[in-house]
Amino acid sequence: MAENIVLSNTEYKVVGTRPIRHDGTDKVTGRAKYGGDFQSAGMLFAKVLRSPHAHARIKSIDTSKALALPGVKAVITGQDMPMVLKKDADKAAKTASEKVMASAKALYKGHAVAAVAATSSFIAEAALELIDVRYEELPSATQVLDAMKDSAGLLHDDMTTNDLGEQTEKHSNVATHFRYEMGDVKKGFAQAEVVVEREFNTATVHQGYIEPQNGSALWNADGQITVWCSTQGAFTAREALATVLDQPVSKIKVVPMEIGGGFGGKIPIYLEPLAALLSKKTGAPVKMAMSRAEVFESTGPTSGANIKLKMGADKSGRIVAAEAQLTYDAGAFPGSQVTMGAQCMFSPYYIENLLVDGYDVVANKPPVAAYRAPGAPIAAFAGEVVVDEIAEKLGMDPIELRLLNASKEGTERLEAPPFPVIGNVECLEAARDSVQYKTKLTGKHRGRGVASGFWFNIGLQSSAAISVNADGTINLVEGSTDIGGSRVSLAMQAAEVLGIPAEDVRPSVADTESVGYTFLTGGSRTTFATGWAAHNCAQDIRTKMIERAASIWDVSENDVTMTDGVFQHKSDPDLKFTFKELASQLNRSGGPISSQVSVDPRGAGSAFATHVVDVEVDTDTGKVTVLNYTAVQDAGKAIHPSYVEGQIQGAVVQGIGWALNEEYRFNDDGVMENSTFLDYRMPTSLDLPMISTVIVEVANPGHPYGVRGVGEVPIVPPMAAMANAIYDAVGVRLTDLPMSPAAVLEALWAKDGEPASLQAAD
Amino acid sequence: MAENIVLSNTEYKVVGTRPIRHDGTDKVTGRAKYGGDFQSAGMLFAKVLRSPHAHARIKSIDTSKALALPGVKAVITGQDMPMVLKKDADKAAKTASEKVMASAKALYKGHAVAAVAATSSFIAEAALELIDVRYEELPSATQVLDAMKDSAGLLHDDMTTNDLGEQTEKHSNVATHFRYEMGDVKKGFAQAEVVVEREFNTATVHQGYIEPQNGSALWNADGQITVWCSTQGAFTAREALATVLDQPVSKIKVVPMEIGGGFGGKIPIYLEPLAALLSKKTGAPVKMAMSRAEVFESTGPTSGANIKLKMGADKSGRIVAAEAQLTYDAGAFPGSQVTMGAQCMFSPYYIENLLVDGYDVVANKPPVAAYRAPGAPIAAFAGEVVVDEIAEKLGMDPIELRLLNASKEGTERLEAPPFPVIGNVECLEAARDSVQYKTKLTGKHRGRGVASGFWFNIGLQSSAAISVNADGTINLVEGSTDIGGSRVSLAMQAAEVLGIPAEDVRPSVADTESVGYTFLTGGSRTTFATGWAAHNCAQDIRTKMIERAASIWDVSENDVTMTDGVFQHKSDPDLKFTFKELASQLNRSGGPISSQVSVDPRGAGSAFATHVVDVEVDTDTGKVTVLNYTAVQDAGKAIHPSYVEGQIQGAVVQGIGWALNEEYRFNDDGVMENSTFLDYRMPTSLDLPMISTVIVEVANPGHPYGVRGVGEVPIVPPMAAMANAIYDAVGVRLTDLPMSPAAVLEALWAKDGEPASLQAAD
């Protein structure tokens, strides 16, 4: 009974339709070339030696035995990193380098300490065991609250806490404490009829993309470096490589291979600089790829977090004050997304009085990376559970309470100008009006939960080039790596302008030397910003084609119109070309037509989502089954509704995994105990119903087609929606993630007492 | 004592300098990826079965045994060609298809009749022997005069002769007879004091590029075809493939690999369509590459030709009339370059009265392909030998005679408007003033020869894209495959506009989906036309950067100037950016800057050359040794003088080979007997002195930098220059090519009588 509804605002010829993606055949037939498919003659294979300790000083590394192994061509350690060798390297560059490979201290189990290039991956692997590293173990902490304790080992000897904007003298693992404030919370709480105060803890989770990180490189004899990798941003990877390798960007060419999922986790570089340095040492192309355990242990997952939240509402249901303390671990280096969590937490609501304290804390685990709407899902989990509890206490429908407090155009918010046109209310209304919400849920231990979510979305730089083929098709070259169908969503935006079918566009993703600078695929920006570049480029092609038609007809270009792909003289009906006809004449009427444009658009439109989930809880096992799920989201304009729906469904599934099962389980030594997909439990299609979607379209006035961006916000509501549904089903408020069967059982037992059968067994 | 002189007309900062080519390291270290380097997972290898007969009807082909061989995945024959299967295919498309693979008749030894794809090239090769083709042999002729005889077997039953523009009923191997006329030759010859009349024969020669033809293809499940090949024109290869495969161009993507020489011979497609069809049958990528013997026997060499020429001059040395009959073989299908030969033959001179008859004749050898200045060298051989003889008879210096008659701006010519600004006189003067020409040649059996040459050069469509990197470099994407250093010559033209060094440009050659349409690398057009595109694109970048500087400074863009890469406010000296400084600010001041332009320039400037060669003839063996060689040429503007010199030197070497040694030796059955580099003798560096060059720069007013194009004209004069030098050395006028030791000896014996020693042995 799952359904996918689009509440469309405007009709276009191409935009809003559902053509088959251009890369579809390649991907379903196994022809698409991912990073792991890279091959080159004379290629070496490299492997990384990683710290077995969560925190340890590297006293010495002896690579001589490894180098002596036949087939081994080179070994590098932290001491070979250009930023370690460079005396006056700046702090940010040094940090970027240490993230790639530790020089003096290993800061987490899995931190790279050396790498070996050999003629086969087996030899490289064998050689790792021959590298003799002497460590001095240090105290470690993987959990954010533990890391904050004074007794915790300091990860960075030179790091002092920035407290409310001031760099203090205090050495601790707290990198930053900041505060966002609006109104007067004291005054606010004084008006409250209902106050809810709770503490939440969330576990570290991983994006769980299918394709492990990889990176191959050739450092050529002329100093030019080519890197082949699966990345979310070829240009940003190039910049990161330039920093770590101490090279100008133009010395590096990044060739983006197809990417098997990223979700934010494939923005940072990991293996690429090591492959490059090993290539420099050996003169040969070097290929690297991670194992799944390496992906878990050595690439950026999310923060684990602790959140304390107090929220009050008056009798009418108006939320009058909220006060929160967000503490996020950043992994081994400062830079969690706690600021974004703090800004997103209350964005769905207008709350006059707000006070948020945030803590960015380093801990002995891999440095966190972005994961869909980074920082927001954790905060929303806390916020939306408390909102649900307030609704419950007031006896209000949770959607009605949200509508009552909903932020809308002009609403004041933390750390940002008041909202422009947004679709928050429309999402809530669509959720309220959805089939699922209107259908009464019956059955034992079943419950329904609702939650909303907010994400900023971004714009930034993108480039696109178009050339017209003689058969009336166009080539579209763009700089955004295609993770979720952006080839087609960009092609459609160009096709719309030119009045041709999406199938008549041949899109391709270019390397960093073949198209203008394009910021990464992330921030839900690709269809928005690169789409805009494609739109503008198509406009330029349109103009040039009108000029050409005018020139062929020997009339003024002002007298030529172009509608639905037909060029026509305004008054002479005989002067008419279809796009195909004109395209076929270009080469003999003045030459080919091509164009390239770069944009840096303002006006990214924020996204809102409201999710409704029905669950059933097995009170014997604690297992939570999702019965129905409806995700409502304002896409601004869904260029290709199927891929918007896919993004929403995928994010919901990831959110459900985050809610119910996923977590990094560290032992006391800071070692992850479940670094396989067998033990790190992600949902499969067998675990879930089909996710219903409702796409709301509140056009973003800042984009030619009204696009907002869709990939991130749908992961914001699920955890709270699930918690609220579980509460509705069995009456326990779960405040820690994941809400695994064990956690659910524990909560049920805490509420109802342990079952007699188990008591007997105790 | 070789020297390279540039008589430069204009000074630029970058244009005219000699930076290291960007692809240099890749090419000298073996990193460049040629067609033969293509790899893909699951790739099959294919081989072609070729006709052992010079002319034969294909009665039947039984492929069953081949298909039964383990490892064989598919076999195709002419009956699988889309143009054979298509009922209403047009004639040109059918011919294009038959060139690739014979369906009903094999027209030359080496004509493809079937192809096998297998899991290894060895299996494919073995399978060829299992294909049972039944042929009916037919009479054949490989030499043009033989092919014209009524007794010759007709290659094309449906072909009738086009005689002076009229399609006659006459079935023969003469495809076309045309006539070009100017003035009144009868009247002209009446004024002549000296008349020379001679007949010439030239053998078929091959371009002799190092890299054999290759082609790999994947016909994807969605109907998209990707072809990887070494080609002179990715876009023209795409068009040719579209024709033969009966597909729209946008279904085909051609990825140009590096190319190991072409000289015109890598314009046609040979293996690519077969690889594509085998890929379609098997669903796998298919790789093909020729052996050297296949290159000789199955790719397009030049025409063999017969030329009759009569020329007269008055007492003053003025050439008053010329009458010529040019008969070129076209190989198996009509289309020799006899028309171009006819137009080029007399272009260095103003001759009031001209009559040229041309014959395009099919013969049982591979269809001819372009080879540097196609058609012109053969004609110039005849023309320049006769001019030399006239000078001799008049007792004039051969350069003075040429100067007296030299065509210049405004000179009337055959089949074209009067000449625009040309550098013919300047080349002759520079040759006269060259060190070599001014140095008296002494020694026994030594002689000096002079010859001039003309080539049109062309413009046509090109595209280039530029994006600016944050480190102040630019990326240049262009559609011309780089055979002779065009990456750098195009980069320099962009760099000049932007005031940056050539090293700060990262050029790349794009596939057919990644840049606008670009016509092939040939016709000496690349540096001219694609350079123009690069220039115009750089101009657009310059404009956008000026606008950006103005925007950053908040001033009018009209007040911003840009000179030598420095942006500056006209009146405020504080407002100043170097290119690098401004480039580094783009992403935070409005976004990246990129552009793409396509051009179809008129105004290609013709090229002239005058060569001087000194030889020594060994009268015992007939061996001709080149002592000194000075090649003078008008480049218009030498963008990168080293690569202009390289083009000239390479063409001279090929011309010397053509003059002295190279020829297809066919036996009576039409089988080439010397299809290896051991038996087909090309000059090596040990055979030759360093070639001196003088680059004359008579700017082409039709190009931003005055470029004319350089690659073709230097192969026009050498054969005549060599013949004239041999005459000067030993007094024999050789009129047949090659002037091999045997031919020289025969001529000497004919003049002086056979040596007594040999007479004794007879």
Side-chain angles (χ1 to χ4, degrees), chain A residues 535-554:
Chain A
H535 169 275
N536 285 9
C537 195
Q539 290 277 13
D540 191 37
I541 295 289
R542 187 178 178 275
T543 302
K544 287 174 174 168
M545 300 232 355
I546 287 174
E547 287 166 5
R548 184 62 58 84
S551 139
I552 292 172
W553 294 328
D554 197 15

CSV table of all heavy atoms in Angstrom, one decimal, chain A residues 535-554:
chain,number,residue,atom,x,y,z
A,535,HIS,N,21.3,24.7,-16.7
A,535,HIS,CA,20.3,25.6,-17.2
A,535,HIS,C,20.8,26.8,-17.9
A,535,HIS,O,20.4,27.2,-19.0
A,535,HIS,CB,19.4,26.0,-16.0
A,535,HIS,CG,18.4,27.1,-16.3
A,535,HIS,ND1,18.7,28.4,-16.2
A,535,HIS,CD2,17.1,27.0,-16.7
A,535,HIS,CE1,17.6,29.2,-16.6
A,535,HIS,NE2,16.7,28.3,-16.8
A,536,ASN,N,21.8,27.5,-17.2
A,536,ASN,CA,22.3,28.7,-17.8
A,536,ASN,C,23.1,28.4,-19.1
A,536,ASN,O,23.1,29.2,-20.0
A,536,ASN,CB,23.3,29.4,-16.8
A,536,ASN,CG,22.5,30.1,-15.7
A,536,ASN,OD1,21.2,29.9,-15.6
A,536,ASN,ND2,23.1,30.9,-14.9
A,537,CYS,N,23.8,27.3,-19.0
A,537,CYS,CA,24.6,26.9,-20.2
A,537,CYS,C,23.6,26.6,-21.4
A,537,CYS,O,23.8,27.1,-22.5
A,537,CYS,CB,25.4,25.7,-19.9
A,537,CYS,SG,26.7,25.4,-21.1
A,538,ALA,N,22.5,26.0,-21.1
A,538,ALA,CA,21.5,25.7,-22.1
A,538,ALA,C,20.9,27.0,-22.6
A,538,ALA,O,20.6,27.1,-23.8
A,538,ALA,CB,20.4,24.8,-21.6
A,539,GLN,N,20.7,27.9,-21.7
A,539,GLN,CA,20.2,29.3,-22.2
A,539,GLN,C,21.2,29.9,-23.2
A,539,GLN,O,20.8,30.5,-24.2
A,539,GLN,CB,20.1,30.2,-20.9
A,539,GLN,CG,19.0,29.8,-20.0
A,539,GLN,CD,17.6,30.3,-20.4
A,539,GLN,OE1,17.4,30.7,-21.6
A,539,GLN,NE2,16.6,30.3,-19.5
A,540,ASP,N,22.5,29.7,-22.9
A,540,ASP,CA,23.5,30.3,-23.8
A,540,ASP,C,23.4,29.6,-25.2
A,540,ASP,O,23.5,30.2,-26.2
A,540,ASP,CB,24.9,30.2,-23.2
A,540,ASP,CG,25.9,31.0,-23.9
A,540,ASP,OD1,25.5,32.1,-24.4
A,540,ASP,OD2,27.0,30.6,-24.0
A,541,ILE,N,23.3,28.3,-25.1
A,541,ILE,CA,23.1,27.5,-26.4
A,541,ILE,C,21.9,28.0,-27.1
A,541,ILE,O,21.9,28.2,-28.3
A,541,ILE,CB,23.1,26.0,-26.0
A,541,ILE,CG1,24.4,25.5,-25.4
A,541,ILE,CG2,22.7,25.2,-27.3
A,541,ILE,CD1,25.5,25.4,-26.3
A,542,ARG,N,20.8,28.2,-26.4
A,542,ARG,CA,19.6,28.6,-27.0
A,542,ARG,C,19.7,29.9,-27.7
A,542,ARG,O,19.3,30.1,-28.8
A,542,ARG,CB,18.5,28.7,-25.9
A,542,ARG,CG,17.1,29.0,-26.3
A,542,ARG,CD,16.2,29.0,-25.0
A,542,ARG,NE,14.8,29.4,-25.4
A,542,ARG,CZ,14.4,30.6,-25.6
A,542,ARG,NH1,15.2,31.6,-25.4
A,542,ARG,NH2,13.1,30.8,-25.9
A,543,THR,N,20.4,30.9,-27.0
A,543,THR,CA,20.7,32.2,-27.6
A,543,THR,C,21.5,32.0,-28.9
A,543,THR,O,21.2,32.6,-29.9
A,543,THR,CB,21.4,33.0,-26.6
A,543,THR,OG1,20.7,33.1,-25.4
A,543,THR,CG2,21.7,34.4,-27.2
A,544,LYS,N,22.5,31.2,-28.8
A,544,LYS,CA,23.4,31.0,-30.0
A,544,LYS,C,22.6,30.4,-31.2
A,544,LYS,O,22.9,30.7,-32.3
A,544,LYS,CB,24.6,30.2,-29.6
A,544,LYS,CG,25.6,31.0,-28.8
A,544,LYS,CD,26.8,30.1,-28.3
A,544,LYS,CE,27.9,30.9,-27.6
A,544,LYS,NZ,28.8,30.1,-26.8
A,545,MET,N,21.7,29.5,-30.8
A,545,MET,CA,21.0,28.8,-31.9
A,545,MET,C,20.0,29.7,-32.5
A,545,MET,O,19.7,29.7,-33.7
A,545,MET,CB,20.3,27.5,-31.3
A,545,MET,CG,21.3,26.6,-30.7
A,545,MET,SD,21.4,24.8,-31.2
A,545,MET,CE,20.1,24.3,-32.2
A,546,ILE,N,19.4,30.6,-31.7
A,546,ILE,CA,18.5,31.6,-32.2
A,546,ILE,C,19.3,32.5,-33.2
A,546,ILE,O,18.8,32.8,-34.3
A,546,ILE,CB,17.8,32.4,-31.1
A,546,ILE,CG1,16.8,31.5,-30.4
A,546,ILE,CG2,17.2,33.7,-31.6
A,546,ILE,CD1,16.1,32.2,-29.2
A,547,GLU,N,20.5,32.9,-32.7
A,547,GLU,CA,21.3,33.8,-33.6
A,547,GLU,C,21.6,33.1,-34.9
A,547,GLU,O,21.6,33.7,-36.0
A,547,GLU,CB,22.6,34.1,-32.9
A,547,GLU,CG,22.4,35.1,-31.8
A,547,GLU,CD,23.7,35.2,-30.8
A,547,GLU,OE1,24.7,34.5,-31.1
A,547,GLU,OE2,23.6,36.0,-29.8
A,548,ARG,N,21.9,31.8,-34.8
A,548,ARG,CA,22.2,31.0,-36.0
A,548,ARG,C,21.1,30.9,-37.0
A,548,ARG,O,21.2,31.1,-38.2
A,548,ARG,CB,22.8,29.6,-35.6
A,548,ARG,CG,23.2,28.8,-36.8
A,548,ARG,CD,24.4,29.5,-37.6
A,548,ARG,NE,25.5,29.6,-36.6
A,548,ARG,CZ,26.4,28.7,-36.3
A,548,ARG,NH1,26.4,27.5,-36.9
A,548,ARG,NH2,27.4,29.0,-35.5
A,549,ALA,N,19.9,30.6,-36.4
A,549,ALA,CA,18.7,30.5,-37.2
A,549,ALA,C,18.5,31.9,-37.9
A,549,ALA,O,18.2,31.9,-39.2
A,549,ALA,CB,17.5,30.2,-36.4
A,550,ALA,N,18.6,33.0,-37.2
A,550,ALA,CA,18.5,34.3,-37.8
A,550,ALA,C,19.5,34.5,-38.9
A,550,ALA,O,19.2,35.1,-39.9
A,550,ALA,CB,18.6,35.4,-36.7
A,551,SER,N,20.7,34.0,-38.6
A,551,SER,CA,21.8,34.2,-39.6
A,551,SER,C,21.5,33.4,-40.9
A,551,SER,O,21.7,33.9,-42.0
A,551,SER,CB,23.1,33.9,-39.0
A,551,SER,OG,23.9,33.2,-39.9
A,552,ILE,N,21.0,32.2,-40.7
A,552,ILE,CA,20.7,31.4,-41.9
A,552,ILE,C,19.5,32.0,-42.7
A,552,ILE,O,19.5,32.0,-43.9
A,552,ILE,CB,20.3,29.9,-41.4
A,552,ILE,CG1,21.5,29.2,-40.9
A,552,ILE,CG2,19.7,29.1,-42.6
A,552,ILE,CD1,21.2,27.9,-40.2
A,553,TRP,N,18.5,32.5,-42.0
A,553,TRP,CA,17.4,33.1,-42.6
A,553,TRP,C,17.7,34.6,-43.1
A,553,TRP,O,16.8,35.2,-43.7
A,553,TRP,CB,16.2,33.1,-41.7
A,553,TRP,CG,15.7,31.7,-41.4
A,553,TRP,CD1,15.7,30.6,-42.2
A,553,TRP,CD2,15.1,31.3,-40.1
A,553,TRP,NE1,15.2,29.5,-41.5
A,553,TRP,CE2,14.8,29.9,-40.3
A,553,TRP,CE3,14.7,31.9,-38.9
A,553,TRP,CZ2,14.1,29.2,-39.3
A,553,TRP,CZ3,14.1,31.2,-37.9
A,553,TRP,CH2,13.8,29.8,-38.1
A,554,ASP,N,18.8,35.1,-42.6
A,554,ASP,CA,19.1,36.5,-42.9
A,554,ASP,C,18.1,37.4,-42.4
A,554,ASP,O,17.6,38.3,-43.1
A,554,ASP,CB,19.4,36.6,-44.4
A,554,ASP,CG,20.1,37.9,-44.7
A,554,ASP,OD1,20.7,38.5,-43.8
A,554,ASP,OD2,20.1,38.3,-45.9
